[in-house]
Amino acid sequence: MCREQTEQTLVRLRAVAAGTGHPALTEAIGRAEQSRQRLGEALHLIQGSSDAARNYIGVLG
């Protein structure tokens, strides 16, 4: 859900920024892209955490 909202934000910001090079819009787009990347990293870490927990459950039997 967060990833979809970030994508929607990027689409809207790019639409608003079309034809302009205003620094505030450039910064907003850059930050939104950075948040999209960090969300991907967070998802990867959460999946790794879940895998580790499942492995531990397997050890417990």
Side-chain angles (χ1 to χ4, degrees):
M1 183 170 192
C2 290
R3 194 170 219 174
E4 291 171 10
Q5 290 176 339
T6 302
E7 290 295 333
Q8 289 175 1
T9 299
L10 277 166
V11 167
R12 290 178 183 146
L13 283 171
R14 288 186 177 122
V16 169
T20 179
H22 195 280
L25 287 173
T26 302
E27 180 182 357
I29 291 169
R31 288 178 184 256
E33 288 174 345
Q34 190 175 39
S35 69
R36 178 179 58 183
Q37 178 183 351
R38 289 186 179 174
L39 282 171
E41 293 169 5
L43 179 60
H44 179 73
L45 291 169
I46 289 169
Q47 288 171 338
S49 174
S50 294
D51 291 343
R54 276 192 293 276
N55 287 341
Y56 180 67
I57 290 169
V59 167
L60 294 176

